[in-house]
Amino acid sequence: MEFLTGFKEDERMGKFLIIKKHAAITVCLLLVGALLSVGLTGISKAEPSYAGTIIYAGCRQSSYGISPFPNENEWERDIMTMASYWPGSQGTGIWIVGTYPETGVTCYLEFPAPDGPYENIAFDNVDRHENYLAYFDTHGIKVWLQVEPAFADMCTLIDLVLDRYENHPCVLGFGVDVEWYRYTKQQSWGQQVTDAEAENWEARVKLHNENFTLFLKHFSWDWMPPNYRGDIIFVDDSQRLRNLDAMVSEFATWASKFYPNDVGFQYGYPADEKWWGKLANPPKDIGDALDDAIPNNMGVYWVDFTLRDIFPPLEDDTTPPVIENIASSEITYDSATITWDTDEVCDSVVNYGTTTALGSTESDVLKVISHSITLTELSASTTYYYEVKSTDCSGNSTVDDNNGSYYTFTTAAPDTTPPVIENVSTSNITYDSATITWDTDELSDSVVKYGTTTPPGLTESDNTMVTAHSIILTNLSASTTYYYEVQSTDPSSNTAVDDNNGSYYTFTTAAPDTTPPVIENVDSSNITTNSATITWDTDEIADSLVKYGTTSGNYTDNEYDSAYVTSHSIDLTDLIENTTYYYVVKSTDPSNNSSESSEYSFTTLETGATIMHVYSITMFLETHGVNTNALAEVTIHDADENPVPYAMLYGHWENATSDSDSAESDANGVVSRWDLQSDSIKNPPSGTTFTFVVDNIVKEGWTYDPEANVETSDSITVP
């Protein structure tokens, strides 16, 4: 966030918002900053240093942001024009389907109600979005469906929206504008999303489609979940920024808070038009500056409030597109690719034929500026004539027929040359399998004929057209010599056979495996009142069996997993609390060789005992004049990854300093960085490292399990 930037304006209500909680604190911090030049920098564990890419580009849509509301063609023009600025980016919309009506506790969904009453949710009499989404389905546009939730239950909103629209291929997922989450006049920035809420909402979205993503939007990262990240996309819609540099700084700081997650940025607000209005191409110039500064993959979205200031109404556009750079390439005996460019987003049409009457057409409705149409099922050794045509979203068309002479290309002669086979090899030979590999100079399929005599009579094949071929032979006999040849056929049905000049290639399978797996690193973990996890390793792939019981040497129960692995894990459930269990582990390899461990034991917890561990440690550097010290922020979770409040943490500092700290976690399970600070070092040289180590966590009725820690220590280095 831009440091004490001043104020931000709400999109509709023009709210007067102060960045810090109290104006008095803001003034004091400004004075301290002026006098002492205090800097606080959060450093991620793997600080990014490479350039990111804009992978989504488009517009933010709302029912209140633009009037008259654009039709499908206008949205298409604006979204795909945004995408055209960054080749390869997906044309995308943040599409608001549920709004907060500025008063009360209700989210207003802009489609008719399904059966049943819904608390704090109202509905429209008509579906305002179905026609647009159906159009986007067939025109290459993607959308996230966003709500302004008010006091409606979030999982209910997710289900209502996605149940109605998840069938549309254009839908990427679901978004929440957190500014309106449980909004009141007293809580005018909305309510912060907890880790548990974020994880629950994301799981609910993915329940509809595992490929859907959730985005959370706000102008302050403090309203985002403190630790949970998942696959969430974090969107910043800050405004009232002084200039482009201030916007880049604000958004880059936001991105660093959530790296390596994808991020998104809304811009183009009227409050910033005083400076972006002076840019040559505001959407592109701002996006380019963000792309240079931010390592995360990101999306950029122009807001609808000023959309027609950037992209004029369709009816104002009477100029046809300019076509240039027409070319034919990738010409084969039966196909060719036609490419061209336009100066605005348009569709793509190629009319072609073997005479100047043309007669055949290939087209693509996707609106782009770089056009590509592949013509197929052509005749070999034949000259084709063609023209290209592009129509913009306002209906203006241009046809380029090379001034009446048409453009031409000639297909190649028929392919009668078989593939060239080389580098035939055998690898990964076991007692019952082997892998045969070879290369070809063109795409072709893969066939291996093999057997224990010549000519071989067994066949394994793969119809996939490749140049690097691999076929695995299985169910072979141990200690046996096999003969084989390889074959490849190209798409023109030309076949090459390599049988090693009639001698065939050979390999001999290994002797039978009679060595049992070696079991090591047997351990029990995640112990609760009624469950435990048993883990161990083997030196070869093998199955997993745990035999266990409450009496030493008497194993009355067992759990089994048939999967062949080297890292084994078995969960034991329905155990008795405060009881000692004895167990052995057993693994059998694919050759039926078995090993069994010696006996181990563990004791389940007694009711009331709860396990806690360190979920995360985040490190910071703080500089006061010539003095620098480090700060650590620690989050404590229980076994179900819920925050553990009011637990006392004890730790110490290493490397640069050797002091100790202790502090209690807050209601969110977070031990504040202001309570865990190292001693200061005067003018520390670059490379000086501060390390914080957690020694113990204490809470009455709870057990600290350091083996469950995500991390027990963390470090930060002076740049």
Side-chain angles (χ1 to χ4, degrees):
M1 182 179 295
E2 184 185 10
F3 185 63
L4 300 183
T5 185
F7 311 106
K8 298 192 179 192
E9 180 180 65
D10 174 78
E11 294 179 352
R12 288 170 290 169
M13 301 172 64
K15 294 185 302 184
F16 190 74
L17 300 177
I18 303 174
I19 290 299
K20 296 298 177 181
K21 292 183 178 178
H22 303 288
I25 295 176
T26 302
V27 173
C28 291
L29 286 175
L30 283 169
L31 290 173
V32 171
L35 294 172
L36 299 179
S37 184
V38 176
L40 180 63
T41 306
I43 307 296
S44 65
K45 295 179 182 63
E47 187 171 10
S49 59
Y50 59 90
T53 57
I54 293 175
I55 59 175
Y56 301 107
C59 305
R60 196 290 305 267
Q61 171 280 143
S62 67
S63 58
Y64 50 79
I66 186 170
S67 181
F69 194 78
N71 63 20
E72 292 91 332
N73 286 338
E74 186 171 356
W75 281 116
E76 178 185 27
R77 188 273 310 268
D78 298 347
I79 291 172
M80 298 309 287
T81 298
M82 284 287 291
S84 73
Y85 295 144
W86 301 281
S89 66
Q90 169 64 56
T92 311
I94 290 181
W95 201 259
I96 300 177
V97 298
T99 59
Y100 174 70
E102 301 184 8
T103 59
V105 294
T106 302
C107 176
Y108 181 77
L109 294 179
E110 297 171 344
F111 54 80
D115 293 337
Y118 296 94
E119 185 177 6
N120 298 328
I121 301 174
F123 296 87
D124 204 329
N125 293 324
V126 296
D127 191 325
R128 298 178 180 272
H129 303 288
E130 177 64 32
N131 291 340
Y132 287 91
L133 300 182
Y135 185 84
F136 296 161
D137 287 342
T138 59
H139 287 74
I141 294 172
K142 303 294 183 181
V143 297
W144 276 280
L145 304 173
Q146 183 205 294
V147 298
E148 297 165 352
F151 279 78
D153 177 72
M154 276 304 313
C155 287
T156 301
L157 286 175
I158 291 169
D159 289 343
L160 285 169
V161 170
L162 293 182
D163 283 347
R164 189 168 189 91
Y165 296 127
E166 66 187 348
N167 61 303
H168 287 280
C170 69
V171 173
L172 292 172
F174 185 87
V176 182
D177 191 337
V178 177
E179 181 182 354
W180 306 105
Y181 176 51
R182 300 188 174 275
Y183 168 88
T184 65
K185 289 184 178 180
Q186 295 73 32
Q187 193 167 258
S188 59
W189 287 6
Q191 179 175 297
Q192 182 190 16
V193 179
T194 67
D195 288 332
E197 286 174 327
E199 186 171 11
N200 186 34
W201 299 350
E202 182 179 45
R204 194 62 167 237
V205 169
K206 290 186 178 293
L207 191 62
H208 287 263
N209 185 323
E210 63 181 7
N211 296 316
F212 280 173
T213 49
L214 170 71
F215 81 68
L216 299 177
K217 180 168 69 177
H218 204 278
F219 48 76
S220 172
W221 59 74
D222 288 330
W223 266 250
M224 296 292 99
N227 296 295
Y228 183 76
R229 296 294 178 259
D231 293 325
I232 295 174
I233 299 172
F234 295 92
V235 180
D236 186 348
D237 61 353
S238 295
Q239 54 178 301
R240 281 199 174 277
L241 299 160
R242 292 190 306 273
N243 50 38
L244 178 58
D245 289 342
M247 175 174 281
V248 171
S249 176
E250 164 90 12
F251 287 171
T253 302
W254 175 278
S256 71
K257 294 290 183 181
F258 303 108
Y259 183 85
N261 284 57
D262 290 359
V263 291
F265 304 104
Q266 288 183 185
Y267 54 79
Y269 287 98
D272 299 314
E273 189 168 4
K274 60 183 179 294
W275 60 263
W276 62 249
K278 300 176 183 178
L279 301 176
N281 186 339
K284 185 177 188 303
D285 293 346
I286 294 172
D288 286 345
L290 296 176
D291 193 26
D292 288 341
I294 294 173
N296 314 50
N297 285 337
M298 77 185 92
V300 292
Y301 309 94
W302 194 269
V303 295
D304 46 357
F305 298 117
T306 60
L307 205 56
R308 290 196 176 108
D309 294 338
I310 299 299
F311 307 113
L314 291 180
E315 57 269 21
D316 292 353
D317 178 13
T318 59
T319 303
V322 175
I323 294 177
E324 56 186 356
N325 302 324
I326 299 173
S328 55
S329 61
E330 301 177 11
I331 301 169
T332 70
Y333 70 96
D334 66 351
S335 66
T337 298
I338 310 301
T339 58
W340 68 100
D341 298 325
T342 52
D343 64 336
E344 59 179 312
V345 293
C346 303
D347 64 9
S348 310
V349 178
V350 176
N351 299 313
Y352 67 102
T354 56
T355 68
T356 55
L358 305 180
S360 298
T361 300
E362 286 291 336
S363 62
D364 188 345
V365 299
L366 185 66
K367 299 297 192 295
V368 294
I369 59 173
S370 296
H371 304 258
S372 180
I373 293 288
T374 299
L375 310 180
T376 59
E377 299 181 2
L378 305 179
S379 299
S381 303
T382 300
T383 296
Y384 281 84
Y385 300 84
Y386 70 93
E387 66 182 16
V388 302
K389 177 181 179 180
S390 283
T391 302
D392 65 23
C393 293
S394 297
N396 305 302
S397 296
T398 298
V399 176
D400 189 335
D401 61 1
N402 197 20
N403 296 318
S405 299
Y406 299 98
Y407 296 93
T408 64
F409 64 86
T410 301
T411 51
D415 178 13
T416 59
T417 304
V420 175
I421 295 174
E422 55 187 356
N423 303 324
V424 179
S425 179
T426 314
S427 61
N428 302 327
I429 302 170
T430 70
Y431 71 96
D432 68 349
S433 67
T435 299
I436 311 300
T437 58
W438 68 99
D439 299 323
T440 53
D441 65 336
E442 62 175 317
L443 294 172
S444 52
D445 65 10
S446 309
V447 178
V448 175
K449 292 187 175 181
Y450 67 102
T452 57
T453 61
T454 59
L458 301 174
T459 300
E460 284 291 336
S461 62
D462 185 343
N463 292 328
T464 306
M465 294 290 171
V466 295
T467 57
H469 304 258
S470 180
I471 293 288
I472 299 175
L473 309 180
T474 58
N475 298 320
L476 306 179
S477 299
S479 303
T480 301
T481 296
Y482 282 84
Y483 301 85
Y484 72 92
E485 67 180 22
V486 300
Q487 297 182 8
S488 285
T489 301
D490 66 21
S492 299
S493 298
N494 303 303
T495 300
V497 178
D498 189 340
D499 61 2
N500 198 20
N501 296 318
S503 299
Y504 299 98
Y505 295 95
T506 64
F507 64 87
T508 301
T509 51
D513 177 14
T514 59
T515 303
V518 175
I519 294 175
E520 55 187 357
N521 303 324
V522 179
D523 193 19
S524 56
S525 61
N526 301 327
I527 300 168
T528 70
T529 57
N530 60 3
S531 65
T533 300
I534 309 301
T535 57
W536 69 98
D537 298 325
T538 51
D539 65 336
E540 61 173 317
I541 58 170
D543 63 12
S544 309
L545 174 66
V546 176
K547 299 187 290 185
Y548 63 100
T550 57
T551 303
S552 178
N554 184 20
Y555 312 120
T556 56
D557 295 290
N558 67 80
E559 289 291 337
Y560 176 68
D561 186 343
S562 61
Y564 287 119
V565 295
T566 57
S567 296
H568 305 257
S569 179
I570 292 287
D571 292 325
L572 307 182
T573 58
D574 298 324
L575 305 179
I576 302 170
E577 68 169 288
N578 195 27
T579 300
T580 298
Y581 282 85
Y582 302 88
Y583 69 95
V584 295
V585 302
K586 183 178 180 179
S587 284
T588 303
D589 66 20
S591 299
N592 210 33
N593 304 302
S594 297
S595 290
E596 185 170 288
S597 72
S598 57
E599 184 179 83
Y600 295 83
S601 67
F602 64 88
T603 301
T604 53
L605 299 179
E606 187 176 358
T607 298
T610 310
I611 301 297
M612 56 185 173
H613 64 276
V614 176
Y615 176 75
S616 68
I617 303 175
T618 304
M619 303 294 292
F620 302 85
L621 285 178
E622 184 179 42
T623 300
H624 296 267
V626 298
N627 295 314
T628 296
N629 69 299
L631 305 87
E633 188 165 274
V634 181
T635 302
I636 304 169
H637 277 191
D638 63 18
D640 294 324
E641 300 302 347
N642 297 310
V644 178
Y646 315 123
M648 181 61 69
L649 179 142
Y650 298 88
H652 69 275
W653 293 89
E654 295 181 353
N655 294 323
T657 67
S658 58
D659 48 314
S660 298
D661 276 316
S662 63
E664 188 176 70
S665 61
D666 62 17
N668 294 315
V670 177
V671 182
S672 169
R673 60 180 177 266
W674 307 114
D675 294 325
L676 301 175
Q677 300 192 44
S678 72
D679 289 344
S680 295
I681 301 294
K682 185 176 182 179
N683 293 324
S686 175
T688 299
T689 299
F690 295 83
T691 300
F692 183 74
V693 181
V694 176
D695 296 322
N696 196 14
I697 305 175
V698 177
K699 182 177 180 179
E700 185 175 357
W702 289 66
T703 300
Y704 170 49
D705 181 10
E707 293 187 2
N709 287 350
V710 176
E711 52 187 345
T712 301
S713 65
D714 200 5
S715 300
I716 192 168
T717 301
V718 176

